[in-house]
Amino acid sequence: MRLRGTRGGFTLIEALVALAVAALTLTAIFQLQVQMARSQQRAQAVLSQVALQENALALVRDINVMERPEGQMSLPGGAIVRWSATAIGEKRRNVTEASTSGRYEVQLFEVSVEISSPGRRSPPKLTIERLGWRRLDSVDPVSGQAF
C-alpha cells in the first residue's frame, strides 16, 4: 500500500551521495592515469640514457687508448662523448704462442666516459677498463726481418 504524498525514485540526498562516490572514484582513476603517464616518461628517459651509454661504449671500444688517451666524438642527435684514459698497469710486451716476445706493447687503462646531450639530462659517468696497445716495428740487425 502506498501513501498518497510519496513518489518513487531517489531523494536529493541519495543523488548527491551517489554523485560524491562517483567523483571520488573518477578522481582516483585520473590520479592513477597521471601517475602511469609520468612513469612512462621516466622509463622513456632511462631508455634514452641507456641507448646513449651503449652508443658511447661502442665508440670507445674501438679506440686504442694508448694512442688516444683523451678525446671526444659526436653522436647522432648532438650528443658528445668525451673520454680520458689513465694507465693503471705497467707496459708489457705481449707473448706469442711460442712463448717469445711479440710485436706489441700492451698496457691496462681505466677509461672515464662522459656523455653530454643538449636538451636532455646526461647519463652518469661511466668507468671501464680497456687494454691499449702499440705495435713495435723493430728490425733485427742480423736478419733484417721485422720483429
Side-chain angles (χ1 to χ4, degrees):
M1 173 167 151
R2 285 184 78 168
L3 299 175
R4 269 191 177 189
T6 62
R7 293 183 176 174
F10 297 107
T11 65
L12 181 59
I13 297 291
E14 290 172 331
L16 289 174
V17 168
L19 186 61
V21 169
L24 288 173
T25 304
L26 289 175
T27 301
I29 291 172
F30 178 71
Q31 290 297 323
L32 181 62
Q33 280 187 311
V34 168
Q35 186 178 13
M36 287 174 55
R38 287 182 185 153
S39 295
Q40 178 66 26
Q41 288 173 342
R42 284 193 302 268
Q44 189 65 34
V46 167
L47 287 176
S48 175
Q49 287 184 348
V50 168
L52 276 174
Q53 288 175 328
E54 287 176 344
N55 289 337
L57 287 176
L59 283 174
V60 171
R61 181 179 35 220
D62 293 334
I63 295 169
N64 180 359
V65 292
M66 189 177 267
E67 291 179 355
R68 286 181 69 187
E70 293 182 354
Q72 72 179 32
M73 290 182 156
S74 296
L75 291 175
I80 298 173
V81 177
R82 290 180 183 83
W83 73 91
S84 63
T86 305
I88 58 174
E90 296 194 20
K91 292 180 183 178
R92 297 184 180 172
R93 197 160 181 175
N94 74 315
V95 178
T96 66
E97 294 174 6
S99 298
T100 60
S101 293
R103 294 183 179 185
Y104 293 92
E105 181 178 59
V106 295
Q107 188 172 17
L108 188 61
F109 288 84
E110 182 177 87
V111 183
S112 297
V113 181
E114 293 183 51
I115 306 162
S116 59
S117 181
R120 291 189 282 186
R121 196 174 101 184
S122 296
K125 184 177 181 181
L126 301 169
T127 303
I128 58 172
E129 291 182 356
R130 298 286 304 154
L131 191 66
W133 68 93
R134 180 175 303 139
R135 186 176 174 117
L136 302 171
D137 286 325
S138 300
V139 178
D140 184 357
V142 176
S143 67
Q145 297 284 330
F147 66 93

